[in-house]
Amino acid sequence: MYEDFRREATGMHCSRETLRKVMSANHLFSCVKSRHRYHRIEKDKAYKYPDNILSRDFSSPEKNRKWVGDITYIWTKEGWLYLAVVMDLYSRKVIGWSMSKDANSDLACKALNNALKLRNPVGELLYHSDRGVQYSSYVFLKLLKDNGLKDNGITGSMSYKADPWSNAVQENFFQKLKQEYIKGRNFISIAEAKREVFWYIEVFYNIRRRHKYLGYLSPSEYEKKHEVVA
């Protein structure tokens, strides 16, 4: 909020503390996420779990070297909507996503395929996720193997069991989505929830939302600023 004010309120100046007091006086507060229990689904046939190669190193020197993925739940009056997301750690940009009424391996595969179509990565690429059944399934791990480098495919990496911090950047994205935009809203239908999630990702988060990690630039601004001109 302070960065938004500093950059957009032309001719006006105040400290972070003054802004905090003004927000408090007008009953404007940060949203706090409540805990959520995930519904268990039947485990699919799986290969051996990949090692945790990422090992909490969330930095990336360039695009398409480290991607992370995860799935979250969104409640509507028609039932659960599941959202799978792929993020590039270089810019924290959401480069692939998919939504469905079913939290299966097909959902995770569609999100990754969308990212592959958008980015068309060349060279070595690491894909990190948790140990969810969608990501440890035969079809998803085969998708990693069949893409990327000709001989080795995309290198898979998975968090240790019961270790959410190993995918903290992706978890943080879902937290922001729910705190900033979804909390307190009652979606009438799955179609409505899909429209709102689309807006948050493609219109707000990627293009407008500033990140402290990126020097208070949005993901799209950061990539444009650091784009290498051939």
Side-chain angles (χ1 to χ4, degrees), residues 2-191:
Y2 176 74
E3 287 298 321
D4 283 338
F5 179 86
R6 188 174 68 83
R7 298 188 188 197
E8 297 179 14
T10 306
M12 299 178 66
H13 304 279
C14 76
S15 66
R16 292 176 184 270
E17 181 62 20
T18 299
L19 182 60
R20 185 193 68 77
K21 290 179 179 178
V22 171
M23 290 176 62
S24 179
N26 287 275
H27 307 289
L28 298 173
F29 305 97
S30 352
C31 297
V32 179
K33 180 185 175 183
S34 57
R35 293 182 64 84
H36 176 80
R37 293 184 65 85
Y38 281 74
H39 175 63
R40 298 290 297 174
I41 63 175
E42 185 179 355
K43 187 174 179 61
D44 192 4
K45 177 181 177 182
Y47 292 135
K48 179 182 177 182
Y49 290 122
D51 293 331
N52 187 354
I53 300 172
L54 185 67
S55 192
R56 300 190 186 182
D57 180 5
F58 303 120
S59 62
S60 181
E62 56 185 301
K63 290 195 295 185
N64 303 329
R65 290 296 172 261
K66 294 181 182 179
W67 292 357
V68 292
D70 203 356
I71 294 173
T72 194
Y73 293 16
I74 298 167
W75 176 251
T76 79
K77 291 187 177 180
E78 291 183 343
W80 290 108
L81 171 66
Y82 301 97
L83 167 67
V85 164
V86 179
M87 177 183 291
D88 191 329
L89 288 178
Y90 168 73
S91 62
R92 297 336 195 222
K93 187 172 186 177
V94 174
I95 56 173
W97 52 274
S98 181
M99 291 183 278
S100 172
K101 293 187 291 184
D102 299 306
N104 52 26
S105 55
D106 184 58
L107 176 68
C109 289
K110 284 182 178 178
L112 177 55
N113 274 321
N114 288 336
L116 290 169
K117 290 176 183 177
L118 177 68
R119 293 294 225 191
N120 192 27
V122 176
E124 294 185 2
L125 171 60
L126 180 71
Y127 187 95
H128 182 84
S129 69
D130 62 20
R131 293 195 176 196
V133 293
Q134 300 88 355
Y135 297 105
S136 60
S137 67
Y138 176 90
V139 291
F140 186 82
L141 293 174
K142 187 175 186 300
L143 179 61
L144 293 181
K145 185 179 180 181
D146 292 344
N147 285 275
L149 292 176
K150 183 177 180 181
D151 296 328
N152 301 321
I154 299 171
T155 301
S157 171
M158 282 191 176
S159 304
Y160 298 119
K161 186 176 181 180
D163 181 19
W165 294 106
S166 290
N167 205 10
V169 174
Q170 186 65 276
E171 293 283 351
N172 185 62
F173 168 77
F174 287 147
Q175 183 182 49
K176 296 305 181 188
L177 166 65
K178 293 181 178 181
Q179 285 183 354
E180 296 176 345
Y181 201 61
I182 290 179
K183 185 176 180 180
R185 304 184 66 177
N186 295 311
F187 294 120
I188 302 298
S189 66
I190 286 177

